[in-house]
Amino acid sequence: MAHSLTGGASPFRCYPHPPCCAAGRATPTAPPSTRRRVAASASPPSPPPAIEGRGVGFSVTTRRGVVLPVLKDCSLCVPPGQLWMLLGPNGCGKSTLLKVLAGFQNPSAGTVHINRPFSYVFQNPDHQVVMPTVESDVAFGLGKLNLSLDEVRSRVSQSLDAVGMLSYSQRPIQTLSGGQKQRVAIAGALAEASKVLLLDELTTFLDEYDQMGVVKAVRNSVTASGEVAALWVTHRLEELRYADGAIYMEDGRTIIQGDVSSISRFIKRKQARYFGHFEL
Ligand SMILES: Nc1ncnc2c1ncn2[C@@H]1O[C@H](COP(=O)(O)OP(=O)(O)OP(=O)(O)O)[C@@H](O)[C@H]1O
């Protein structure tokens, strides 16, 4: 498929009961005497994560044979049916971590797991869409699935509807804005029944209007599906409010992961300290 990359059967290890999904949540730890009572009345166990990395390392070797660690002991966990954001300064390793999760790069340490099929959508909207019209582009990736024409039509219209592009189905691709192209690429991934969306800085080249259109399209698709998990790499703090959780990276490491307000406060405190250095 050309508008996003997809993956099939997982070659990776899957953990049935990963501990990290709850680890970043801002939940107080109950004292030992009350733990048993809480456990007895607790709701059913949470589902296995859709995306998980444990102790992931990744290194590159320079032409002079020097090994440079890019990712160091990264761990993260995204439950199904949720949109999580991956943030951090330039060069901290966000895109590399996404590629390792997708299996495009092999980790040098640790383990990764993502539910299949998954799709990886890239930053540049012009690299995402390949067919002449919106409808044909979304249908493009379905060719390999041996579906009836009715099923193809139904999947295409449902996924275009999910990203708010149904009324554009006959539009020539070259007439779309960057954000609309991104939404068509996401519709293509949804049409293929992707269980995981790995989204690499989709809004970098977009104006504010298109940016919000794409964020909301992903938010709505994840909510409507109830099982699709999305991991969204971004620099834009204002996008956090559409997420269920976030992970913050620094210098190749995942520093903290948890609910949006905790991570947002954490980042703002860091920014305040950083800008404090420059105050006269
Ligand atoms: N194949 C490679 N060879 C050499 N260095 C690499 C390679 N891949 C990644 N790096 C380096 O690893 C670091 C992390 O890169 P990455 O693109 O993952 O960061 P990022 O957080 O996504 O950055 P940005 O926010 O600027 O897009 C950078 O310093 C990058 O130059």
Side-chain angles (χ1 to χ4, degrees):
M1 175 182 181
H3 56 274
S4 63
L5 291 178
T6 56
S10 171
F12 302 116
R13 277 173 72 186
C14 178
Y15 295 94
H17 299 296
C20 69
C21 260
R25 299 303 175 89
T27 44
T29 308
S33 58
T34 62
R35 254 184 221 148
R36 259 194 307 274
R37 279 204 306 276
V38 171
S41 61
S43 48
S46 48
I51 306 169
E52 188 184 31
R54 290 187 180 199
V56 175
F58 175 75
S59 301
V60 292
T61 307
T62 67
R63 270 182 290 181
R64 293 186 176 182
V66 179
V67 176
L68 293 176
V70 175
L71 300 178
K72 302 156 214 165
D73 198 20
C74 289
S75 293
L76 76 159
C77 181
V78 179
Q82 295 197 7
L83 163 60
W84 281 59
M85 297 206 171
L86 181 58
L87 300 108
N90 283 117
C92 69
K94 303 179 295 295
S95 296
T96 307
L97 181 54
L98 213 61
K99 286 176 193 144
V100 170
L101 289 169
F104 302 158
Q105 318 254 39
N106 289 322
S108 48
T111 51
V112 296
H113 157 77
I114 62 174
N115 284 347
R116 308 269 169 148
F118 74 87
S119 289
Y120 191 109
V121 184
F122 295 91
Q123 191 177 64
N124 190 332
D126 289 320
H127 295 168
Q128 315 294 316
V129 281
V130 289
M131 297 299 280
T133 65
V134 167
E135 190 178 57
S136 59
D137 195 84
V138 175
F140 178 77
L142 301 180
K144 63 188 177 219
L145 299 181
N146 200 19
L147 303 171
S148 70
L149 195 56
D150 279 350
E151 176 68 5
V152 170
R153 284 197 181 120
S154 154
R155 285 198 190 196
V156 168
S157 49
Q158 274 178 32
S159 51
L160 280 172
D161 196 26
V163 299
M165 290 290 290
L166 186 55
S167 58
Y168 291 75
S169 57
Q170 300 306 317
R171 279 277 288 272
I173 286 287
Q174 72 271 17
T175 65
L176 302 181
S177 73
Q180 289 167 339
K181 286 177 191 165
Q182 293 289 35
R183 283 151 69 186
V184 170
I186 293 161
L190 296 172
E192 289 185 56
S194 290
K195 296 245 175 10
V196 167
L197 304 175
L198 299 173
L199 309 164
D200 196 358
E201 298 197 42
L202 297 197
T203 54
T204 300
F205 297 125
L206 307 182
D207 64 25
E208 206 177 322
Y209 179 79
D210 260 357
Q211 175 202 359
M212 283 306 141
V214 175
V215 182
K216 285 178 186 169
V218 173
R219 174 70 268 170
N220 293 342
S221 308
V222 166
T223 305
S225 76
E227 64 164 351
V228 173
L231 183 58
W232 170 286
V233 172
T234 186
H235 283 287
R236 296 179 161 180
L237 268 190
E238 72 270 18
E239 292 174 353
L240 260 182
R241 68 191 162 104
Y242 294 95
D244 297 298
I247 302 141
Y248 182 78
M249 288 184 74
E250 228 172 52
D251 188 27
R253 296 177 194 278
T254 46
I255 304 286
I256 183 170
Q257 113 160 42
D259 63 275
V260 164
S261 52
S262 316
I263 302 300
S264 193
R265 275 198 304 276
F266 177 85
I267 295 172
K268 282 177 181 157
R269 274 200 302 272
K270 271 191 161 293
Q271 287 175 337
R273 275 202 299 275
Y274 176 77
F275 288 118
H277 286 305
F278 296 99
E279 273 174 12
L280 297 173

